[in-house]
Amino acid sequence: MGRKRRDVEISEEPNDLSARNLFTLTFALALGAYLFTLAPGLAPGDAGEIIGAIHSGGTIHPPGYPLFAILGRIALWLPFGGAGWRINFLSGLFNAAAAGVIALLVHRIGRQAWAGFLAGGLFAFSPLVWKYAVVAEVFGLNNFFVALALYAAASFEL
């Protein structure tokens, strides 16, 4: 049952349809921008090592990032793009998903879809997130899990 504020009932749960649309819009916008600027292959920094290790079945430098390596091996099955592009795409995919979850989180807390969209966009297009979303890096997977954990915590608290 919802709370009452000034004789208006406020739903405890965001509208499922608007939440789904908010996630989809934020995710699609971020992923589209990432795809447009995605590195086509090897990039400087750890990306080359990560792509090489995943492609050859080796181990990434410590701590090894086993989940990202397994998901990278699955990403190599994509029927398009080179090996480097496919693993770079995986980073963009997880960062875009994190932006979508952040949009849902803010929508859930503030009950304003525009605030959620703004928060997800600010996250997705912040310089450091974008920098690591277009090359093979493990930060996107971490961002996604942290966003999920925050959303789960807000779900229990609100």
Side-chain angles (χ1 to χ4, degrees):
M1 193 72 174
R3 300 179 301 198
K4 287 202 175 211
R5 184 188 302 167
R6 295 185 199 176
D7 299 327
V8 177
E9 186 167 322
I10 298 172
S11 172
E12 292 294 331
E13 297 291 324
N15 181 324
D16 287 338
L17 182 60
S18 69
R20 188 176 311 124
N21 290 342
L22 178 63
F23 175 85
T24 304
L25 179 64
T26 308
F27 173 80
L29 184 66
L31 187 60
Y34 294 156
L35 284 174
F36 188 70
T37 58
L38 194 68
L42 295 178
D46 288 343
E49 177 199 354
I50 291 170
I51 292 169
I54 290 173
H55 190 263
S56 68
T59 303
I60 304 169
H61 64 275
Y65 312 106
L67 181 58
F68 189 80
I70 292 168
L71 295 172
R73 293 291 289 182
I74 293 169
L76 290 176
W77 296 347
L78 290 173
F80 47 85
W85 186 90
R86 294 172 191 175
I87 298 170
N88 292 337
F89 170 74
L90 190 63
S91 292
L93 184 72
F94 282 118
N95 273 307
V101 173
I102 288 170
L104 289 178
L105 169 67
V106 172
H107 175 50
R108 181 171 187 82
I109 292 171
R111 293 178 176 75
Q112 297 290 327
W114 67 267
F117 182 71
L118 180 64
L122 287 173
F123 170 80
F125 300 119
S126 66
L128 200 56
V129 171
W130 196 331
K131 175 182 177 180
Y132 292 119
V134 297
V135 298
E137 268 297 348
V138 298
F139 304 132
L141 184 59
N142 182 59
N143 291 340
F144 177 64
F145 283 140
V146 169
L148 281 178
L150 290 172
Y151 185 80
S155 298
F156 283 111
E157 196 58 35
L158 297 177

